[in-house]
Amino acid sequence: GRFNSDPAHFPYHQPMAGEVSGADHKFVQGLLASRKEESLFVGQLDHVVKGKPEKYIMVITKFRMFSIKSGSNKLAQQCHLLEIEAIKSHAPTELDIKTFKFELSGVSAHVDAIITAIRRALSLTFPSLPENHPNLDVRPSSRLEDVPQKELLLGGFVDTYSSLCDFQNHVRREEICWDMEHTYVRRNIKEFDLSEFEQPISPADMRALLGALRFNKYFRTLIADSNALGRDQIGFLAEGLRHNSFLEELVLKNIGLKHDFVTMLTTALSSNKDIALNRLDLSDNPLEDKGLIALSNYIQTSPRGIVSLDVSNGQAGKAGVAALAAALKKNVKMPSTLTHLNLSGNKLESEGTSGLAAFLSTPNALRTLILANTAANLELIFPAIMRGCAELRTLDVSHSKITKKEAPNLARLASSSATLKTLNLAGTLIPVDSLKEVLGCIVANPYMQDVVLDLKENALGLPGALMIQSIAAKITNIVNLYLSDHDLRDEGVAAV
């Protein structure tokens, strides 16, 4: 603990000779040492008590403001800088500071230096704090110095996290700060991944970490993968999303996200007019229909559209999927922004399929469509893709049954596509004759090159092996062909 005299780090106010006595100086040094902080301002601010001025020493650090009655060797008042609501000064020597806890009025020759120290401390620790916090009433306004935005390591995240720990009266995790200041900086990591930190993360640390994202301009991705988040943690995250305009990707995978939690998050997202979020992964959560419907309410009004959306294994049914499909179609940004859509593990059935087909049939920018294990009506999906998905590179309809009824449309898709590279038909139980037709169309399509075809778990048996053998010489544009779990037996394996 020491007085900070490095002007390159922070403009420090040096007390005038005689302004701070030796005893007061010693007490301040002890205070700073106990808190492991540096002072940003130390000087006299006489409080007005019952109409008479009494000598007090004002100390401002990066996180807090302290008031010490001269000669008392004890704190009179203290608060975190975030607790300052308003600063009023209508004369260069008069100051009134209103906090959540108390109101401090006094006179000093250094009022402008005090105000500047508070404002600059907040700008360094909370870079995106609203300009009206704290509320400033300083006359004339020309007394307010410019507070330039300084480029900070990781957008000042470590200081923000540390300050919020101080605000909550909670000891910060030193290894988290070390990782941030060394590994993250050295590798220029812009993904904030909660699973990278030593587990478990206490509720208090989670609150400070998620709270720090609210003020951060550096990180572009937040990842919580298999980190169980309760209602309180989701609330802290929602509050951050309500204000952060720099996060572009949110990955909340397998965190126990239920429908009411989704409502909390989407309400926050909808209230943020400057939201930058365009990639959303809520996979492996028990969203159910209610959760998907809540998400849809946000999707349909997302101001910038969504580039990537993954709600796989969300335990949703036809009502939820239908609501999501309607939202995708309603938002005019989606046809040009959405490139990745994963609905696998949710049950589309007839209602969900009809809604999704309506979106897919409209010209769109989809490159990846994953409908594995969705009970989708592929008789509607395949024609819709042909009409609207001109950019599609990857199609996964695995474990959705393909009969002789759906197969002709799949063959036409394989024949007409100019972009398809990866086709997953695993577990579709496609008949051997129908598969032969599809393979023939792939082989005959000059635009389909370097194709990856997954045919696992289709019970093709010996007839399938012989069929593949019969056309093998023509298969020159398929680079990976997966044929496991077909009960081919020795004769079939030999044929392939």
Side-chain angles (χ1 to χ4, degrees):
R2 58 185 175 85
F3 292 140
N4 175 15
S5 57
D6 179 7
H9 173 72
F10 199 95
Y12 167 69
H13 169 75
Q14 183 69 36
M16 295 175 62
E19 185 177 2
V20 178
S21 69
D24 289 337
H25 184 278
K26 185 177 181 180
F27 179 78
V28 169
Q29 282 188 314
L31 173 68
L32 296 174
S34 68
R35 297 183 55 81
K36 299 180 181 179
E37 286 195 69
E38 297 178 346
S39 61
L40 308 179
F41 175 93
V42 176
Q44 185 173 335
L45 177 69
D46 292 343
H47 294 197
V48 180
V49 180
K50 296 181 179 180
K52 296 181 180 181
E54 293 186 6
K55 185 176 180 180
Y56 281 76
I57 307 302
M58 170 78 81
V59 179
I60 297 171
T61 69
K62 195 187 298 184
F63 304 153
R64 285 188 171 268
M65 177 180 75
F66 304 93
S67 177
I68 305 159
K69 186 173 182 179
S70 181
S72 69
N73 281 341
K74 64 180 182 180
L75 286 174
Q77 293 168 319
Q78 66 163 309
C79 74
H80 194 280
L81 296 184
L82 279 180
E83 295 178 294
I84 298 176
E85 290 186 276
I87 299 175
K88 177 181 177 181
S89 178
H90 289 179
T93 59
E94 297 177 0
L95 179 65
D96 184 85
I97 298 178
K98 183 180 180 183
T99 76
F100 295 127
K101 296 179 178 178
F102 58 84
E103 189 165 342
L104 185 154
S105 297
V107 293
S108 173
H110 317 299
V111 168
D112 288 358
I114 293 171
I115 296 172
T116 298
I118 293 172
R119 293 175 63 223
R120 291 192 175 179
L122 285 170
S123 74
L124 290 173
T125 311
F126 300 97
S128 60
L129 193 68
E131 292 184 3
N132 62 349
H133 186 91
N135 180 56
L136 294 173
D137 182 8
V138 178
R139 304 177 190 176
S141 59
S142 58
R143 291 168 51 201
L144 292 172
E145 293 186 23
D146 289 336
V147 180
Q149 289 291 324
K150 182 180 177 181
E151 187 171 344
L152 305 169
L153 290 179
L154 306 180
F157 186 90
V158 172
D159 277 344
T160 308
Y161 162 65
S162 301
S163 184
L164 289 174
C165 285
D166 180 86
F167 182 59
Q168 300 164 20
N169 195 27
H170 167 67
V171 178
R172 74 177 193 172
R173 288 263 297 266
E174 292 297 334
E175 78 278 10
I176 289 178
C177 297
W178 192 94
D179 284 344
M180 288 282 179
E181 293 174 331
H182 294 81
T183 306
Y184 275 65
V185 170
R186 185 174 67 252
R187 298 180 181 175
N188 193 32
I189 296 173
K190 294 201 171 186
E191 293 182 350
F192 187 80
D193 189 345
L194 290 171
S195 62
E196 290 293 319
F197 304 125
E198 185 177 344
Q199 305 296 318
I201 301 175
S202 70
D205 270 311
M206 190 69 77
R207 179 179 184 180
L209 289 169
L210 295 177
L213 287 175
R214 167 183 175 177
F215 303 99
N216 191 262
K217 299 180 180 181
Y218 174 83
F219 288 105
R220 295 294 181 265
T221 300
L222 169 63
I223 301 174
D225 187 346
S226 302
N227 298 92
L229 300 183
R231 178 176 295 275
D232 287 345
Q233 285 76 36
I234 293 295
F236 304 145
L237 174 58
E239 185 62 20
L241 294 175
R242 192 183 303 276
H243 300 279
N244 187 295
S245 56
F246 295 89
L247 274 179
E248 298 173 357
E249 182 174 14
L250 184 61
V251 179
L252 303 177
K253 184 176 181 178
N254 188 29
I255 64 167
L257 195 67
K258 299 180 180 179
H259 66 85
D260 51 339
F261 293 174
V262 176
T263 300
M264 292 169 65
L265 292 174
T266 55
T267 299
L269 291 172
S270 296
S271 68
N272 187 346
K273 298 184 187 302
D274 299 317
I275 189 77
L277 192 71
N278 57 41
R279 294 188 295 277
L280 192 56
D281 182 349
L282 303 182
S283 60
D284 300 327
N285 287 296
L287 306 175
E288 301 181 335
D289 283 339
K290 289 182 179 179
L292 218 50
I293 290 170
L295 176 63
S296 301
N297 292 334
Y298 168 69
I299 293 293
Q300 67 183 9
T301 58
S302 175
R304 299 188 181 186
I306 300 293
V307 173
S308 176
L309 179 62
D310 187 344
V311 292
S312 58
N313 302 316
Q315 302 177 21
K318 57 186 180 181
V321 175
L324 180 60
L328 293 175
K329 188 170 176 60
K330 186 174 181 178
N331 189 324
V332 296
K333 300 284 186 180
M334 289 302 173
S336 60
T337 61
L338 188 65
T339 62
H340 181 105
L341 179 61
N342 188 346
L343 298 175
S344 62
N346 300 290
K347 299 306 177 186
L348 274 67
E349 301 177 23
S350 59
E351 185 178 344
T353 299
S354 297
L356 180 61
F359 171 73
L360 295 176
S361 63
T362 303
N364 61 73
L366 269 179
R367 289 171 174 258
T368 299
L369 177 62
I370 305 176
L371 300 176
N373 191 28
T374 57
N377 181 353
L378 298 180
E379 191 177 9
L380 294 179
I381 294 295
F382 291 143
I385 291 173
M386 283 188 281
R387 287 195 295 272
C389 303
E391 302 295 325
L392 195 66
R393 305 288 197 273
T394 298
L395 175 61
D396 183 347
V397 292
S398 58
H399 300 98
S400 295
K401 193 172 183 180
I402 298 177
T403 67
K404 291 187 176 183
K405 188 177 181 181
E406 294 87 15
N409 282 327
L410 175 58
R412 281 190 282 273
L413 172 61
S415 179
S416 62
S417 176
T419 58
L420 199 60
K421 294 286 186 182
T422 300
L423 180 59
N424 191 339
L425 303 178
T428 58
L429 301 179
I430 184 170
V432 172
D433 290 346
S434 298
L435 178 58
K436 182 177 182 179
E437 182 183 3
V438 171
L439 285 172
C441 291
I442 292 175
V443 169
N445 186 339
Y447 299 104
M448 289 188 69
Q449 299 297 322
D450 301 323
V451 175
V452 175
L453 180 60
D454 192 337
L455 297 176
K456 296 192 298 287
E457 305 172 38
N458 275 310
L460 296 177
L462 180 59
L466 295 175
M467 179 273 292
I468 292 173
Q469 180 191 45
S470 69
I471 63 172
K474 300 177 183 178
I475 302 177
T476 58
N477 55 348
I478 298 178
V479 293
N480 287 317
L481 180 62
Y482 297 96
L483 293 170
S484 60
D485 300 317
H486 280 294
D487 193 21
L488 299 179
R489 301 187 181 183
D490 292 343
E491 187 178 354
V493 171
V496 173

